[in-house]
Amino acid sequence: MINTNVMKRLESIVGKNNVHSSQEDRIAYSYDGTPVLDSLPDAAVRAHSVEEISKILQLANEEKFAVIPRGSGTGLSGGSIPTKDSIILLMNHWDKIIEIDRENLTALVEPGVITADLHNKVEKVGLFYPPDPGSMNICTIGGNVAENAGGLRGLKYGVTKNYVMGIEAVLANGEVVNLGGKNVKDVAGYNLKDFLVGSEGTIAIFTQILLKLIPKPQAQKTMLAYFRHMTDAAQTVSDIIAAHIIPATLEFLDQATIQCVEDFARIGLPKDIGALLLIEVDGHPAQVADETEQIIPIARKNGASEVKIASTEKEANDLKTARRSAFAALARAKPTTILEDATVPRSQLAPMVDKIQRIAKKYQIRMGVFGHAGDGNLHPTALTDERDIDEMKRVEQAFEEIFREALDLGGTLTGEHGIGLAKKRYLEKWSSSGEKELMQKLKKVLDPNNVLNPGKIFDT
Amino acid sequence: MINTNVMKRLESIVGKNNVHSSQEDRIAYSYDGTPVLDSLPDAAVRAHSVEEISKILQLANEEKFAVIPRGSGTGLSGGSIPTKDSIILLMNHWDKIIEIDRENLTALVEPGVITADLHNKVEKVGLFYPPDPGSMNICTIGGNVAENAGGLRGLKYGVTKNYVMGIEAVLANGEVVNLGGKNVKDVAGYNLKDFLVGSEGTIAIFTQILLKLIPKPQAQKTMLAYFRHMTDAAQTVSDIIAAHIIPATLEFLDQATIQCVEDFARIGLPKDIGALLLIEVDGHPAQVADETEQIIPIARKNGASEVKIASTEKEANDLKTARRSAFAALARAKPTTILEDATVPRSQLAPMVDKIQRIAKKYQIRMGVFGHAGDGNLHPTALTDERDIDEMKRVEQAFEEIFREALDLGGTLTGEHGIGLAKKRYLEKWSSSGEKELMQKLKKVLDPNNVLNPGKIFDT
């Protein structure tokens, strides 16, 4: 525990009202979106200026306690779970959209801005911020940058790092740096900004983020295609790309997920199909029309039993419901839902889904698979009960095997959730010694007292 | 000088025929594309495997000599200029395009591949690698990645870093790392790959590079517009962006450059106009037609005296000649041409060009300005003679003032050429102590004996 004297010094930095250390407060911040993991912080602290954050970090170095930054706590890899002798540094009240610069196509925001709020604000002026993680209605931009969050539009539009132009951040030693800016091209010195993106709160606390915006696509068209087999859906994905069409959204659900969604949402999905694809193309109206016309026969050629095309925005939203409900539908089937994000090169989509389904069977786990077909980012989702020790053990074994298979197919442990606590044992086990050593060296030189989110990504 | 014994050990690693240390060889590798700077290496060395490079670096650490990687030597910031006790590590014979993966839209290349050769190869199969630095017919992909090179298509398509998916590299200690891969989304651990991009040969030697490709745009349209004043051209740029059109190319030439180009290329440019804009839109044919129709009245509204629209590929190439000849035309006016790349946010284009023209006048320097209007990346180009000590001093003062003005407008010292030797005094002078310290710490931990391209970017 952080001692009373240090707590008093924290209070003197941020004010007594901004240090929350009652048992209730501590419990409230003991977990995030990741199942199974939790741990009590000593306190949750709200700072209100860059200077306060800087002082907190200086104190942390002096007194050797840990600082765990937290936005909305929606993370799925345990990135904001407290560690021993730690405070949670709350950032969700840093929620101002400071500027939308329509000439330079940028948005300057505080890290606590909710992703969907930014979407709404910029779309009102005809602009577009593409990254759209599943939790966009509640997650924060700061968290998105810390995890380099992805989303449904990754294939065509890239992920969070492709939109971060500048970062103001407090480093572990309390020093404030301002990296990047409104210049489209900038190669002055090392690319420190992009190194901070995806650093999972272990290198710096973000205090301002400058984001790139693009013009909002003029038109979009949404389609839903049903397939007997996952391989047919995967071949459709390959053929769409081979036709040089890059859809904004190219998502799939496997049979287990479809059945859960239909039980939950009753939207009329046939429960006997093997897979469905949700496809959305966007851009110039003529391009959208052309691409739609090309995609339909591609799906049919690959055996699609039905291709639905939305003709209104309402219809488009209805078609999207299947994909949007996937997580909620799976989550209600059993008490504990473990959503992972094993990712493979797009060409390995069908083999990987097949492997996941075999592994689930082998370990007798109920598992649905859905995700981003266009970018190979899969969400194998185990439906389990954390009180069932035996089943939980099998779930763990199954996931270990899934990750190993993903790596063997040229994939990665995590496409968009981060390593955090949840996957560091796999990173430890399977990443090359050169890469591990490189990461540890960098962490050590940038945070020698290990005060920023210690023990996340790798052991220190 | 590196002693004979060490030279013998180098020969035993790569073979005697691959260590070039005659006076002629040393002179041939004493300079790159940067004016004024030169220095003799002790030898130029060709390695033929990752293992050989690894052994060279191990020897460099043991014997404390410097290793300077070099592709085609077209760099404009002195990145491949030899330093004291150094060898040039030649990489231009690592020129294989190993794989074009049409399913995952990637190209795996060795670092010595010429950028334009890659363009040609991928375009033959309907794919597209957008980064197109001015020297693309001779520069190498490895150099592009080391400098995070830009080019004419930066506004719409981004720069080199946006296309680097994976890097195999030898670190300063000789360790080989494999970062990134074919996964569109990958957040497993720190973003080390993007940290290597733009590290100017000071952190690692690249041995393989995996690049992202996109489908080749179906259509394009090229336009050339003449303006009386630079401010009118700049307003046209702003209005095009405000109309939510993002051209693939949006380039400008100022009056001094136009006059040089016309004297050189005789393509019929009016020599009394204040600026010209070269605009190219690309994408779906209908989008291209629509955007062309919108751009013409925007240019006219801003006083364009003439807007030429290419109706054939030949006409398009003719229009592009004005922009493509800019550097060659300026370079023949006087013996020494110093091409810089001060960059500002797009909204500051007109004020910045105005400042450059005033500064050139103040210091009585002949200077043309051209560059990438769409992304604020300017090329103020001094026409001088390095034997004229007095004028060279004024050139230096003028550039110092230009860089200071760029920074004051929210700009950067370099948009696409890198810091190297040429601009490190400005980085030293004007970057924040926090940022400098951060870079030095990283260099020190990753290259403790300072063997990789020492003294570039900052003093060590």
Side-chain angles (χ1 to χ4, degrees):
Chain A
M1 286 293 284
I2 301 174
N3 72 43
T4 328
N5 177 36
V6 175
M7 282 293 180
K8 285 231 155 66
R9 289 177 68 189
L10 268 173
E11 286 175 3
S12 77
I13 294 170
V14 297
K16 206 172 166 165
N17 291 340
N18 290 308
V19 176
H20 308 282
S21 55
S22 73
Q23 190 65 3
E24 293 81 354
D25 288 323
R26 294 172 61 208
I27 291 170
Y29 297 110
S30 64
Y31 60 93
D32 65 8
T34 322
V36 186
L37 298 171
D38 63 273
S39 159
L40 287 178
D42 289 3
V45 174
R46 286 197 189 279
H48 287 84
S49 69
V50 175
E51 295 67 35
E52 285 181 8
I53 293 178
S54 180
K55 282 185 189 159
I56 291 170
L57 284 168
Q58 286 167 35
L59 183 63
N61 277 285
E62 221 175 285
E63 299 290 345
K64 311 283 181 293
F65 62 87
V67 177
I68 320 285
R70 179 185 163 109
S72 293
T74 57
L76 292 168
S77 56
S80 58
I81 301 287
T83 56
K84 193 172 169 296
D85 299 335
S86 70
I87 62 163
I88 290 285
L89 184 64
L90 297 168
M91 296 301 293
N92 56 337
H93 59 293
W94 291 61
D95 59 355
K96 268 195 274 311
I97 297 176
I98 300 165
E99 180 201 54
I100 292 177
D101 178 341
R102 295 171 69 176
E103 226 174 331
N104 290 305
L105 303 186
T106 58
L108 181 65
V109 305
E110 289 185 339
V113 167
I114 302 291
T115 310
D117 288 350
L118 180 67
H119 288 158
N120 295 334
K121 186 89 179 259
V122 303
E123 287 177 29
K124 272 191 190 132
V125 295
L127 297 174
F128 193 51
Y129 174 69
D132 59 344
S135 53
M136 65 186 188
N137 289 316
I138 175 163
C139 65
T140 64
I141 295 289
N144 294 174
V145 176
E147 303 293 323
N148 188 14
L152 275 65
R153 297 190 280 235
L155 169 62
K156 179 166 181 177
Y157 291 106
V159 295
T160 302
K161 78 167 177 182
N162 302 111
Y163 294 87
V164 179
M165 294 185 74
I167 297 178
E168 180 195 76
V170 187
L171 300 177
N173 62 4
E175 184 122 29
V176 182
V177 289
N178 240 299
L179 306 171
K182 288 186 181 177
N183 301 290
V184 173
K185 292 176 178 164
D186 186 353
V187 294
Y190 291 154
N191 184 4
L192 302 169
K193 164 179 66 74
D194 285 354
F195 175 64
L196 291 191
V197 180
S199 60
E200 303 193 17
T202 67
I203 302 288
I205 306 285
F206 309 143
T207 49
Q208 275 188 14
I209 297 160
L210 182 72
L211 297 167
K212 171 185 165 175
L213 305 174
I214 60 174
K216 194 177 168 201
Q218 290 172 50
Q220 53 269 117
K221 190 64 123 180
T222 307
M223 289 158 269
L224 194 65
Y226 300 154
F227 297 89
R228 259 178 303 273
H229 308 290
M230 186 63 214
T231 45
D232 299 337
Q235 190 57 47
T236 302
V237 170
S238 291
D239 291 352
I240 289 171
I241 303 293
H244 294 166
I245 298 168
I246 308 288
T249 299
L250 194 43
E251 301 280 313
F252 79 99
L253 268 60
D254 78 344
Q255 188 174 49
T257 310
I258 292 166
Q259 289 171 352
C260 276
V261 167
E262 186 51 30
D263 287 344
F264 171 63
R266 311 260 173 224
I267 50 180
L269 297 176
K271 285 167 77 173
D272 59 338
I273 57 174
L276 67 77
L277 280 182
L278 173 75
I279 308 165
E280 188 167 270
V281 289
D282 69 3
H284 186 279
Q287 175 197 337
V288 166
D290 269 11
E291 291 183 350
T292 306
E293 252 175 63
Q294 283 176 273
I295 287 173
I296 298 164
I298 290 175
R300 291 210 196 285
K301 193 199 78 184
N302 286 301
S305 57
E306 192 169 351
V307 184
K308 296 180 174 227
I309 303 143
S311 51
T312 63
E313 205 180 316
K314 191 190 167 304
E315 280 180 31
N317 276 325
D318 288 347
L319 296 187
K320 288 182 209 172
T321 302
R323 168 62 180 90
R324 285 196 184 135
S325 323
F327 181 61
L330 290 167
R332 70 191 268 289
K334 290 198 73 179
T336 304
T337 315
I338 304 181
L339 172 76
E340 277 303 349
D341 65 332
T343 299
V344 290
R346 180 171 49 239
S347 59
Q348 303 298 333
L349 179 68
M352 189 65 212
V353 173
D354 185 57
K355 279 177 199 297
I356 292 170
Q357 288 169 342
R358 281 167 199 264
I359 291 167
K361 212 166 175 180
K362 171 176 165 190
Y363 289 101
Q364 299 165 287
I365 307 295
R366 208 171 146 193
M367 202 176 266
V369 190
F370 66 98
H372 317 296
D375 53 30
N377 180 200
L378 309 181
H379 292 312
T381 305
L383 312 180
T384 180
D385 184 338
E386 60 183 291
R387 294 160 301 189
D388 181 341
I389 312 248
D390 177 63
E391 183 168 280
M392 285 301 284
K393 206 178 161 120
R394 282 183 282 119
V395 166
E396 198 176 304
Q397 289 168 324
F399 273 121
E400 174 154 345
E401 216 166 303
I402 287 170
F403 290 127
R404 186 61 253 171
E405 292 285 3
L407 294 180
D408 289 345
L409 290 171
T412 178
L413 292 173
T414 170
E416 54 185 10
H417 296 169
I419 295 289
L421 286 177
K423 267 182 279 199
K424 76 174 184 174
R425 67 181 177 281
Y426 305 120
L427 192 77
E428 181 60 37
K429 197 165 168 179
W430 289 319
S431 68
S432 76
S433 62
E435 193 174 344
K436 247 181 327 203
E437 198 191 326
L438 196 50
M439 289 195 282
Q440 280 162 341
K441 270 186 191 170
L442 294 173
K443 169 72 174 171
K444 185 152 181 124
V445 73
L446 297 174
D447 182 12
N449 293 319
N450 208 16
V451 300
L452 266 175
N453 215 3
K456 307 296 166 73
I457 309 180
F458 45 78
D459 281 325
T460 37
Chain B
M1 286 293 285
I2 301 173
N3 72 44
T4 329
N5 175 38
V6 176
M7 282 294 178
K8 286 230 155 67
R9 289 177 69 189
L10 268 172
E11 287 175 3
S12 77
I13 295 170
V14 296
K16 207 172 166 168
N17 291 339
N18 290 308
V19 177
H20 308 282
S21 55
S22 73
Q23 190 65 2
E24 293 81 353
D25 287 324
R26 295 172 62 207
I27 290 170
Y29 297 111
S30 65
Y31 59 94
D32 66 8
T34 322
V36 186
L37 297 172
D38 63 273
S39 160
L40 288 178
D42 289 2
V45 174
R46 287 198 189 279
H48 287 83
S49 70
V50 175
E51 295 67 34
E52 284 180 8
I53 293 176
S54 181
K55 282 184 190 161
I56 291 170
L57 284 168
Q58 286 167 35
L59 184 63
N61 277 285
E62 221 175 284
E63 298 291 345
K64 311 285 183 290
F65 62 87
V67 177
I68 321 286
R70 178 185 164 111
S72 293
T74 56
L76 292 168
S77 57
S80 57
I81 300 287
T83 57
K84 195 173 167 293
D85 299 336
S86 70
I87 61 163
I88 290 286
L89 184 63
L90 297 168
M91 296 301 292
N92 57 335
H93 58 294
W94 290 61
D95 59 355
K96 270 196 272 312
I97 297 177
I98 300 165
E99 181 201 53
I100 294 176
D101 179 341
R102 295 171 71 175
E103 224 173 334
N104 290 304
L105 303 186
T106 57
L108 181 64
V109 304
E110 289 186 337
V113 167
I114 303 291
T115 311
D117 288 350
L118 180 68
H119 288 158
N120 294 334
K121 187 91 177 255
V122 304
E123 287 177 30
K124 272 190 192 134
V125 295
L127 297 174
F128 194 50
Y129 174 69
D132 59 343
S135 53
M136 64 186 188
N137 288 316
I138 176 162
C139 66
T140 64
I141 294 289
N144 295 173
V145 175
E147 303 294 322
N148 187 14
L152 274 65
R153 299 191 278 235
L155 168 62
K156 180 165 181 176
Y157 290 106
V159 294
T160 302
K161 78 167 177 183
N162 302 111
Y163 294 87
V164 179
M165 294 187 73
I167 297 178
E168 179 194 77
V170 188
L171 300 177
N173 62 4
E175 184 122 30
V176 182
V177 289
N178 241 301
L179 306 171
K182 287 186 181 177
N183 301 290
V184 173
K185 292 176 178 166
D186 185 352
V187 295
Y190 291 154
N191 183 4
L192 301 170
K193 165 179 66 73
D194 285 354
F195 175 64
L196 291 192
V197 180
S199 60
E200 304 194 17
T202 67
I203 301 290
I205 306 284
F206 309 142
T207 49
Q208 275 188 13
I209 297 160
L210 183 73
L211 297 167
K212 170 185 166 176
L213 305 174
I214 59 173
K216 194 178 168 199
Q218 290 172 51
Q220 51 270 117
K221 192 63 127 178
T222 307
M223 290 159 267
L224 193 65
Y226 299 154
F227 297 89
R228 260 179 302 274
H229 308 290
M230 185 64 214
T231 44
D232 298 338
Q235 191 57 48
T236 302
V237 170
S238 291
D239 291 352
I240 290 171
I241 304 291
H244 293 167
I245 298 170
I246 307 289
T249 299
L250 194 41
E251 301 279 314
F252 80 99
L253 268 59
D254 78 343
Q255 188 174 48
T257 310
I258 292 165
Q259 289 171 352
C260 276
V261 167
E262 187 50 29
D263 288 343
F264 170 64
R266 311 258 172 223
I267 50 177
L269 297 176
K271 286 167 74 173
D272 59 338
I273 56 174
L276 67 76
L277 280 182
L278 173 75
I279 308 164
E280 188 166 89
V281 290
D282 69 3
H284 187 278
Q287 174 197 339
V288 165
D290 268 11
E291 291 183 350
T292 305
E293 251 176 61
Q294 282 177 275
I295 287 172
I296 297 164
I298 290 174
R300 292 208 197 286
K301 194 199 77 187
N302 285 300
S305 57
E306 193 170 349
V307 185
K308 295 178 174 229
I309 303 142
S311 52
T312 64
E313 205 180 318
K314 191 194 165 304
E315 280 181 32
N317 276 325
D318 288 348
L319 296 187
K320 288 181 206 173
T321 302
R323 169 62 180 88
R324 285 195 185 140
S325 323
F327 181 61
L330 290 167
R332 69 189 270 286
K334 291 199 72 180
T336 306
T337 315
I338 304 181
L339 172 76
E340 278 302 350
D341 65 332
T343 299
V344 290
R346 181 169 49 239
S347 60
Q348 302 299 333
L349 179 69
M352 189 63 212
V353 173
D354 186 56
K355 279 178 200 294
I356 292 170
Q357 289 170 340
R358 280 167 200 264
I359 291 167
K361 213 165 174 180
K362 173 177 163 190
Y363 289 100
Q364 300 166 287
I365 308 292
R366 208 170 146 192
M367 201 176 265
V369 190
F370 66 99
H372 317 296
D375 53 30
N377 180 200
L378 308 182
H379 291 312
T381 304
L383 313 180
T384 179
D385 183 339
E386 61 182 291
R387 294 160 301 188
D388 182 340
I389 312 246
D390 176 64
E391 184 169 279
M392 285 300 284
K393 205 178 162 119
R394 281 182 283 120
V395 166
E396 198 177 304
Q397 289 169 325
F399 273 122
E400 174 153 347
E401 217 166 303
I402 287 170
F403 290 128
R404 188 61 254 172
E405 292 286 1
L407 293 179
D408 289 347
L409 290 171
T412 177
L413 292 174
T414 170
E416 53 185 10
H417 296 168
I419 294 290
L421 287 177
K423 268 182 279 199
K424 77 174 185 174
R425 65 182 179 282
Y426 306 121
L427 191 78
E428 181 60 36
K429 197 164 167 178
W430 290 319
S431 68
S432 76
S433 62
E435 193 174 344
K436 248 179 328 201
E437 200 191 324
L438 196 50
M439 290 195 281
Q440 280 162 341
K441 268 186 195 170
L442 294 173
K443 169 71 175 172
K444 189 157 176 119
V445 74
L446 297 175
D447 182 12
N449 294 319
N450 208 16
V451 299
L452 266 175
N453 215 3
K456 306 297 166 72
I457 310 180
F458 45 77
D459 283 323
T460 37

